[in-house]
């Protein structure tokens, strides 16, 4: 009976749908994490409250990742290679983990005037949206997926460039480096790591699409 159900899923594409749903669930949790970080630096959510809320968001993302791994174990057909799906899921997880670290370190460091990080988080949201479009376009063909992945890759590159400007600003002038500047550097570094992970996720889904 189980074999028959798997054959039915293969014929109807249901297994593809389950994998896509798990990826979209991961991206949804990651978007929630980015929005929470944005609300925190804007003062809409306190640092302590954001730190606590991020734990729940991280657990949601982890649950969706486990669901994807379970689906991969039993899937007869996948929209792209299993290895690329796993790479994609792992990179999305890295994005959320780094956003968690950003919120946690903000809570610990108490750096003032964090609104300057808003442009970086804006690009994080752009990259997450582009990755979501790429996942939704897996059934449409490689050209659509690669186009979406390119937009995510651009967002990741923009975050890394902003990181470089922020580092230049933090260490500008002749004043000695103090503890607060080091804390700012650590926070902006977390967002740069987010940009790298978005780029890696884009590469994974683009590579998988081009192999089809």
């Amino acid at each position: 009976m189980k074999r028959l159900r798997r054959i039915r899923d293969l014929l109807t594409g249901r297994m593809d749908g389950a994998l896509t749903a798990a990826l979209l669930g991961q991206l949804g949790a990651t978007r929630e994490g980015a929005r929470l970080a944005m609300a925190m630096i804007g003062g809409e959510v306190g640092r302590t409250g954001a730190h606590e809320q991020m734990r729940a968001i991280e657990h949601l993302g982890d649950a969706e990742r486990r669901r994807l791994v379970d689906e991969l174990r039993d899937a007869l057909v996948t929209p792209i290679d299993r290895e690329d799906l796993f790479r994609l899921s792992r990179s999305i997880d890295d994005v959320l983990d780094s956003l968690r670290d950003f919120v946690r370190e903000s809570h610990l460091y108490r750096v003032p005037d964090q609104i300057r990080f808003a442009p970086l988080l804006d690009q994080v949201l752009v990259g997450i949206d582009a990755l979501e479009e790429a996942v939704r376009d897996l059934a449409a063909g490689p050209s659509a997926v690669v186009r979406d992945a390119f937009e995510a890759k651009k967002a990741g590159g923009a975050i890394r460039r902003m990181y470089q400007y922020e580092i230049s600003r933090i260490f500008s002038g002749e004043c000695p480096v103090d503890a607060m500047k080091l804390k700012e550097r650590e926070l902006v570094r977390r967002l740069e790591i987010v940009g790298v992970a978005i780029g890696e996720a884009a590469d994974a889904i683009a590579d998988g699409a081009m192999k089809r």
Side-chain angles (χ1 to χ4, degrees):
M1 183 61 69
K2 187 174 182 180
R3 182 180 295 275
L4 289 174
R5 284 199 301 269
R6 288 184 177 178
I7 293 172
R8 179 200 62 195
D9 290 341
L10 173 62
L11 294 175
T12 61
R14 188 174 301 172
M15 202 60 87
D16 281 14
L19 291 167
T20 299
L23 286 170
L24 292 175
Q26 258 195 286
L27 286 164
T30 305
R31 181 184 293 102
E32 281 190 51
R35 286 177 175 166
L36 176 62
M38 183 71 84
M40 180 194 68
I41 67 168
E44 300 168 41
V45 179
R47 297 176 205 246
T48 301
H51 183 217
E52 293 170 352
Q53 290 179 46
M54 185 60 89
R55 288 183 192 144
I57 293 171
E58 182 188 12
H59 290 158
L60 177 60
D62 288 344
E64 293 292 346
R65 178 158 166 72
R66 285 193 298 271
R67 180 157 72 106
L68 179 123
V69 171
D70 289 343
E71 293 291 348
L72 275 176
R73 187 182 302 117
D74 295 329
L76 295 177
V77 62
T78 59
I80 57 177
D81 282 356
R82 293 168 189 269
E83 293 82 1
D84 294 316
L85 279 172
F86 191 82
R87 279 175 58 208
L88 172 59
S89 177
R90 181 181 61 207
S91 296
I92 296 169
D93 188 54
D94 289 343
V95 173
L96 182 53
D97 283 351
S98 295
L99 287 168
R100 174 208 60 202
D101 291 341
F102 174 79
V103 170
R104 176 189 295 157
E105 289 171 9
S106 173
H107 170 68
L108 293 171
Y109 299 160
R110 303 287 170 173
V111 173
D113 190 27
Q114 293 186 113
I115 196 65
R116 69 169 65 94
F117 300 140
L120 287 90
L121 285 167
D122 277 335
Q123 286 302 307
V124 171
L125 287 165
V126 169
I128 292 168
D129 287 345
L131 288 172
E132 185 174 86
E133 285 301 310
V135 171
R136 293 187 187 280
D137 281 339
L138 281 172
S143 60
V145 175
V146 171
R147 180 188 63 241
D148 299 329
F150 178 71
E151 293 302 315
K153 190 82 171 177
K154 280 203 309 184
I159 294 165
R160 292 194 294 278
R161 286 192 299 276
M162 290 179 189
Y163 161 77
Q164 292 165 347
Y165 286 121
E166 281 296 307
I167 290 296
S168 176
R169 177 193 61 77
I170 290 167
F171 293 114
S172 63
E174 298 180 359
C175 296
V177 175
D178 59 17
M180 191 57 68
K181 285 187 175 182
L182 293 176
K183 290 176 180 179
E184 288 183 27
R185 182 193 66 180
E186 288 303 304
L187 287 176
V188 76
R189 171 62 177 156
R190 288 298 171 199
L191 296 179
E192 195 261 347
I193 293 170
V194 170
V196 171
I198 287 173
E200 289 173 348
D203 288 340
I205 197 167
D207 290 349
M210 292 306 296
K211 292 176 189 175
R212 290 170 62 181

